[in-house]
Amino acid sequence: MNQSSHIRLFKIILTYWPLLIASSIAAIIFVLFNSASIWITATMINNVLIDFNALDAENSRLLALESLSANEKLKLFSNNLLLKKTAIDTVSAVCVALIVVFTFKNIALYIKNITLSIIQFKLIRDLRNKLYEHLHYLSLSYFNKNKSGKLTSVLVSDIDNMKNSLSTSFQKLFVEPINILTFLILLFIISPKLASIAITVVPLSGVIIFGIARSIRRRAARTQEQLAGITSVIAETLGSIRIVKAFAMKAYEVKRFSSETQKYYKLMLRKDILRLVSSPVSEIVGASIAALLLWVGARDVLLAQSITSEDFIRFILLLFSLFGPMKNLSNVFNELQNGLASADRVFSILDVKSDITNAPNALHIDSLKKDIVFKDVSFHYGNKDEEVLSNIDFSIKSGEIIALVGPSGGGKSTLVDLMPRFYDTIKGSISIDSNNIKDIDITSLRSLMGIVTQETFLFNDTVKANISYGIESIEYDTIKAAAVAANAHDFIEKLPDGYDTVIGERGVSLSGGQRQRIAIARALVKNPPILILDEATSSLDTESEKKVQQAIEKLMRNRTVIVIAHRLSTVHNADKIIVLDKGKIVDQGSHQELINRDGIYKQLHNMQFQT
């Protein structure tokens, strides 16, 4: 990352500057009224309740002076507001003043807190949306290298952790520094000597706080990494629960999960040992300084008489009021480290650049008019010595049906993955109507293609929503027509709520053949000019395969089709069959032409149809 997370967060926060200004003004008002409440309390304790006549005499003395110190000006100002003819009247004025001050102080506190909460929640919402959008921008190669559990953990847990850490941190970070600064100014106004001693607690506490905070941030980062590991185990186990149960692996999975949670427990404990020690240490340092000040101040009042008892009481009240914000600030810095550690992980993903990007002035196309041409295409997944495809050359005319066959691992699925730019070619080019696909807008390119794979993914939504996926407004009749064409309408009508039936995660409530037919209906609704069928019937039983194959034949009409198939019976009628082996084209031609040759296709055909 080019900048630290706290700087980047601060820059994002600045985008909400109107709310920030409102919150800052409210924070300043809160601090001023908070300081006034302490000042008034000290006046009441020392003068009104102890010696009212002394207060009256002191006010007369101040009025007679030509030049006043800052401390004397503040006392004169407060006396003019509160001092009445009798002690009881003055007490009444002080009580009314306290009610007014505390009312305005808490109104300002509420405005400050609610505006900061709005900033915080907007920040978290916008970051989560930005991260989710960025994940869609990244290429498939990134997802091949990173577990879905880890990414889910960052998107959900880390963002939530930022919210929890920032919820109190934002509010205290704005008001406590202003509180501390105001109290320090008042302390210096009352007694520069005692304030100089008191201020030593700030750097001492600062060293402790920042030292502990750095350690907490490192541990918080490791804790979030471990939480991502737990999320990955959960995702893997739940995603393969049938296999776990089939192999009776409950004990193994529970042990694996317990091992991960034990590591998480140890990391959390170490982090809290540090977090919880900072506040007591800071308080002990503060109490020691306070005791020293009481001793020095008492000598100044009783022996040297260089400070009045009223000023000393006011000083002590302000000093102990100072410790509260300092303690809060120490906790804020510690809590903030959890949020910053999570922010590091969020920004680390946001900083990843996609391998697949749009070219400047990318073309927008909406049809295939002439052909698709693969020219000298080579590809590998990162290891240059392990090419998955090598020097692939062939073309597909508009309206043709092309079949890709060959042994497993030959590169068939990788080849079709290059067409919608799930990956980019390492060498050579793929062009549509003489336009290199790297010069075509990615969304435009992928809109040309409908893909039906062996492993059909359906969403935990209604049948209707799954068929119309990606289309915002669509007529019911269009959905029904697609379902009829896909041989899916009859079984959909028998579902509990028909087209409004929620089919569960990955369509778990449907059979494999039913899921496949809904996927075909989805492709029909999209109505793409180019259709890619990747082993679309290989995992189905004979009856389901027959129904799906009938639906596929309707789907293939008037389209350019690329079929990947291990069952060679499904490709007999293809215009051209391309045989791939070890990433290279080893033969091509019609079914009859390939049968007449003694090659891989004939060997595969004989193996499948031998009696």
Side-chain angles (χ1 to χ4, degrees):
M1 291 184 289
N2 296 325
Q3 295 177 321
S4 60
S5 294
H6 63 274
I7 293 175
R8 295 177 72 170
L9 278 173
F10 181 69
K11 286 184 175 180
I12 297 173
I13 292 167
L14 284 180
T15 60
Y16 312 111
W17 63 267
L19 288 166
L20 206 58
I21 290 172
S23 186
S24 300
I25 292 171
I28 292 169
I29 293 171
F30 166 76
V31 169
L32 291 176
F33 277 105
N34 190 42
S35 303
S37 67
I38 297 169
W39 192 277
I40 293 169
T41 302
T43 299
M44 185 174 71
I45 291 172
N46 187 71
N47 298 99
V48 178
L49 299 181
I50 297 175
D51 191 352
F52 176 74
N53 293 329
L55 173 62
D56 194 38
E58 174 66 10
N59 196 55
S60 298
R61 184 186 71 82
L62 292 173
L63 286 169
L65 293 175
E66 294 183 2
S67 177
L68 298 173
S69 66
N71 186 29
E72 289 169 334
K73 286 178 181 177
L74 281 173
K75 284 196 285 187
L76 184 61
F77 176 75
S78 61
N79 288 345
N80 287 336
L81 284 175
L82 304 172
L83 187 60
K84 305 300 177 185
K85 291 182 179 181
T86 64
I88 193 65
D89 289 340
T90 303
V91 170
S92 299
V94 168
C95 290
V96 171
L98 282 174
I99 292 171
V100 171
V101 165
F102 272 87
T103 300
F104 280 99
K105 180 181 85 167
N106 284 283
I107 290 173
L109 179 66
Y110 176 77
I111 293 171
K112 183 265 300 180
N113 286 346
I114 195 66
T115 48
L116 283 178
S117 290
I118 294 170
I119 292 172
Q120 166 212 333
F121 290 132
K122 282 190 172 186
L123 170 66
I124 296 304
R125 178 202 65 190
D126 294 346
L127 265 180
R128 180 171 274 146
N129 290 345
K130 187 176 181 181
L131 180 60
Y132 184 73
E133 182 181 355
H134 186 73
L135 288 174
H136 284 278
Y137 156 79
L138 297 174
S139 63
L140 280 183
S141 59
Y142 178 80
F143 296 96
N144 292 340
K145 298 171 188 173
N146 293 274
K147 293 181 179 179
S148 59
K150 173 192 170 184
L151 299 177
T152 303
S153 176
V154 174
L155 188 60
V156 178
S157 299
D158 279 301
I159 296 285
D160 265 348
N161 193 45
M162 287 175 66
K163 177 179 70 67
N164 295 335
S165 295
L166 297 178
S167 59
T168 54
S169 302
F170 267 26
Q171 293 164 7
K172 290 177 180 176
L173 272 176
F174 269 79
V175 74
E176 302 304 9
I178 303 173
N179 247 334
I180 291 170
L181 182 62
T182 305
F183 288 152
L184 284 174
I185 290 171
L186 289 173
L187 289 173
F188 272 98
I189 287 173
I190 295 168
S191 174
K193 174 186 173 183
L194 294 177
S196 299
I197 298 172
I199 204 171
T200 57
V201 75
V202 176
L204 276 173
S205 298
V207 170
I208 296 168
I209 291 166
F210 286 110
I212 292 173
R214 281 197 300 269
S215 297
I216 286 176
R217 185 168 179 178
R218 289 194 298 270
R219 282 165 173 76
R222 288 198 288 269
T223 300
Q224 289 304 113
E225 287 285 347
Q226 186 59 34
L227 184 60
I230 292 174
T231 308
S232 292
V233 171
I234 294 170
E236 287 174 4
T237 304
L238 296 181
S240 57
I241 194 68
R242 287 177 179 270
I243 300 297
V244 173
K245 287 183 177 295
F247 283 80
M249 294 298 286
K250 172 189 170 184
Y252 169 79
E253 292 297 340
V254 169
K255 183 179 179 181
R256 184 162 74 113
F257 185 76
S258 299
S259 173
E260 295 296 320
T261 55
Q262 176 66 13
K263 292 175 187 175
Y264 183 69
Y265 156 76
K266 288 180 178 179
L267 287 169
M268 288 290 288
L269 181 60
R270 289 171 190 164
K271 188 180 73 172
D272 261 26
I273 287 171
L274 278 173
R275 181 180 66 83
L276 295 173
V277 79
S278 64
S279 181
V281 169
S282 298
E283 199 158 312
I284 289 169
V285 172
S288 301
I289 298 296
L292 175 62
L293 285 167
L294 280 171
W295 183 76
V296 174
R299 289 177 62 85
D300 286 346
V301 172
L302 298 174
L303 300 179
Q305 296 183 343
S306 58
I307 182 173
T308 65
S309 58
E310 177 192 355
D311 282 341
F312 183 62
I313 290 173
R314 188 173 284 123
F315 186 92
I316 293 301
L317 285 174
L318 286 168
L319 178 65
F320 279 97
S321 297
L322 175 67
F323 290 154
M326 289 188 64
K327 183 178 178 181
N328 288 337
L329 206 56
S330 72
N331 292 333
V332 164
F333 280 118
N334 292 336
E335 288 297 324
L336 194 58
Q337 300 313 307
N338 293 322
L340 289 175
S342 291
D344 288 340
R345 285 160 54 80
V346 171
F347 288 130
S348 70
I349 295 177
L350 288 174
D351 288 337
V352 176
K353 303 297 182 186
S354 177
D355 300 332
I356 312 296
T357 56
N358 269 330
N361 303 315
L363 301 170
H364 289 262
I365 58 175
D366 56 12
S367 62
L368 171 65
K369 296 175 180 176
K370 294 188 298 181
D371 56 16
I372 304 169
V373 177
F374 286 72
K375 186 175 181 181
D376 197 28
V377 170
S378 296
F379 178 78
H380 59 74
Y381 284 105
N383 189 339
K384 296 179 181 179
D385 297 327
E386 296 181 6
E387 280 195 335
V388 181
L389 296 170
S390 180
N391 306 115
I392 300 296
D393 278 293
F394 71 94
S395 62
I396 310 166
K397 292 179 182 178
S398 177
E400 274 191 331
I401 299 174
I402 300 295
L404 301 177
V405 302
S408 296
K412 301 183 293 296
S413 293
T414 301
L415 182 62
V416 296
D417 281 347
L418 296 178
M419 288 181 60
R421 290 190 71 192
F422 293 157
Y423 306 95
D424 269 342
T425 59
I426 302 300
K427 189 178 73 171
S429 65
I430 303 171
S431 60
I432 294 178
D433 291 341
S434 302
N435 298 308
N436 191 316
I437 61 171
K438 292 182 181 179
D439 297 327
I440 300 172
D441 176 77
I442 295 172
T443 302
S444 174
L445 174 69
R446 292 173 182 170
S447 295
L448 293 177
M449 302 175 192
I451 303 174
V452 181
T453 61
Q454 175 183 345
E455 186 179 355
T456 301
F457 190 95
L458 298 178
F459 297 92
N460 185 22
D461 207 334
T462 63
V463 173
K464 181 170 62 179
N466 272 280
I467 293 176
S468 62
Y469 179 67
I471 302 174
E472 292 185 4
S473 57
I474 184 171
E475 297 291 333
Y476 169 76
D477 289 343
T478 305
I479 294 173
K480 181 180 175 181
V484 169
N487 286 342
H489 176 70
D490 289 343
F491 83 77
I492 292 173
E493 287 280 272
K494 293 175 184 177
L495 294 174
D497 296 311
Y499 283 85
D500 292 316
T501 303
V502 176
I503 57 178
E505 189 174 355
R506 293 178 177 267
V508 67
S509 62
L510 304 178
S511 70
Q514 289 172 334
R515 289 196 296 269
Q516 199 69 296
R517 279 177 276 167
I518 287 179
I520 291 169
R522 181 166 62 192
L524 280 166
V525 165
K526 185 180 179 183
N527 195 27
I530 302 169
L531 181 64
I532 297 172
L533 303 171
D534 188 353
E535 302 285 358
T537 62
S538 63
S539 63
L540 304 178
D541 58 73
T542 305
E543 183 180 353
S544 296
E545 182 185 4
K546 183 178 179 182
K547 292 179 180 178
V548 171
Q549 192 61 44
Q550 288 172 350
I552 286 175
E553 287 171 4
K554 294 176 184 176
L555 180 61
M556 291 167 61
R557 290 173 189 166
N558 304 315
R559 303 182 203 279
T560 305
V561 183
I562 301 172
V563 182
I564 297 176
H566 279 126
R567 295 184 184 179
L568 301 185
S569 59
T570 61
V571 300
H572 284 180
N573 297 324
D575 295 305
K576 189 190 327 184
I577 300 171
I578 296 172
V579 185
L580 282 170
D581 186 28
K582 297 177 182 178
K584 296 182 178 180
I585 295 177
V586 293
D587 210 347
Q588 57 183 303
S590 67
H591 166 70
Q592 196 57 51
E593 288 171 345
L594 294 174
I595 285 293
N596 292 337
R597 299 172 195 158
D598 191 14
I600 291 178
Y601 183 83
K602 185 176 181 180
Q603 294 172 20
L604 293 172
H605 191 272
N606 290 342
M607 287 172 61
Q608 287 188 22
F609 293 95
Q610 65 184 352
T611 58

